[in-house]
Amino acid sequence: MIFALVVAISDGDTLTVRPDGGEQLRVRVAEIDAPESRQPFGAAAKRSLSDLCFRERAEIRPQKTDRYGRTVARVTCRGQDASAHQVRTGMAWVFERYASDRSLFRLQDEARAAGRGLWSEPAPVPPWEWRKAR
C-alpha cells in the first residue's frame, strides 16, 4: 500500500500521485473505464474524479502495471473507493474484462436504473468500443 498526494487528474480513470518521499507515479484506477475526453461525459468524469481526489492524500493499492507503464490500483480518497465512486455516479463503466469486485456491477445497475451520468444518454458507448471506432 502506498500513501500519496494526488497532484493531477488526467481523465475519469487516471491520476498522478506523489508518494511520500518518492517520485511521481501515474495511476490507472482499477476495474473501471471512464469516457474518453472527447466522448459525452468525458469532462464530467474527469471533474468527478478531481472533486474526489485532487490535492487529497490517497491510499493506493497497486495490482499491476499496464502496457502504458501506469500502475493499476484501487484508489481511496476521503475514505471513498474511487472505482466505486465513479461507477455509482455514472461517470464510468465497470471494465468487465478486468473486474474482480462484483459489487461494482450492482452499483452500475443502480446508476443505469436511476439514469445517472452517462446513463442519461439514450445509448451510451463504452470507451473500449469508442476507441475501436477511432
Side-chain angles (χ1 to χ4, degrees), residues 35 39-42 44-45 47 86-93 107-126:
Q39 269 189 278
F41 289 92
R47 194 167 42 254
Q86 290 295 83
V87 171
R88 181 185 309 107
T89 57
M91 294 297 142
W93 278 262
L107 295 174
Q108 180 171 273
D109 290 344
E110 291 171 5
R112 182 185 296 126
R116 286 193 292 264
L118 60 90
W119 300 111
S120 66
E121 291 281 306
V125 177

Side-chain angles (χ1 to χ4, degrees), residues 20-37:
D20 299 342
E23 292 187 28
Q24 285 189 358
L25 187 66
R26 281 184 49 88
V27 177
R28 173 71 158 76
V29 180
E31 303 189 44
I32 66 170
D33 203 1
E36 296 294 332
S37 60

Side-chain angles (χ1 to χ4, degrees), residues 61-131:
R61 293 182 310 283
Q63 296 178 346
K64 64 181 181 176
T65 301
D66 72 8
R67 65 183 178 192
Y68 304 108
R70 298 175 298 188
T71 299
V72 178
R74 288 305 284 255
V75 176
T76 302
C77 300
R78 299 181 196 197
Q80 287 191 57
D81 179 86
S83 300
H85 172 81
Q86 290 295 83
V87 171
R88 181 185 309 107
T89 57
M91 294 297 142
W93 278 262
V94 177
F95 207 164
E96 293 185 32
R97 215 163 81 193
Y98 302 107
S100 59
D101 181 350
R102 307 312 293 170
S103 71
L104 293 174
F105 290 97
R106 179 182 47 79
L107 295 174
Q108 180 171 273
D109 290 344
E110 291 171 5
R112 182 185 296 126
R116 286 193 292 264
L118 60 90
W119 300 111
S120 66
E121 291 281 306
V125 177
W128 56 89
E129 290 179 13
W130 191 84
R131 288 188 293 267

Side-chain angles (χ1 to χ4, degrees), residues 49-64:
L49 186 60
S50 182
D51 289 348
L52 179 65
C53 292
F54 185 58
R55 293 188 178 157
E56 295 291 328
R57 279 186 54 76
E59 179 182 302
I60 312 295
R61 293 182 310 283
Q63 296 178 346
K64 64 181 181 176

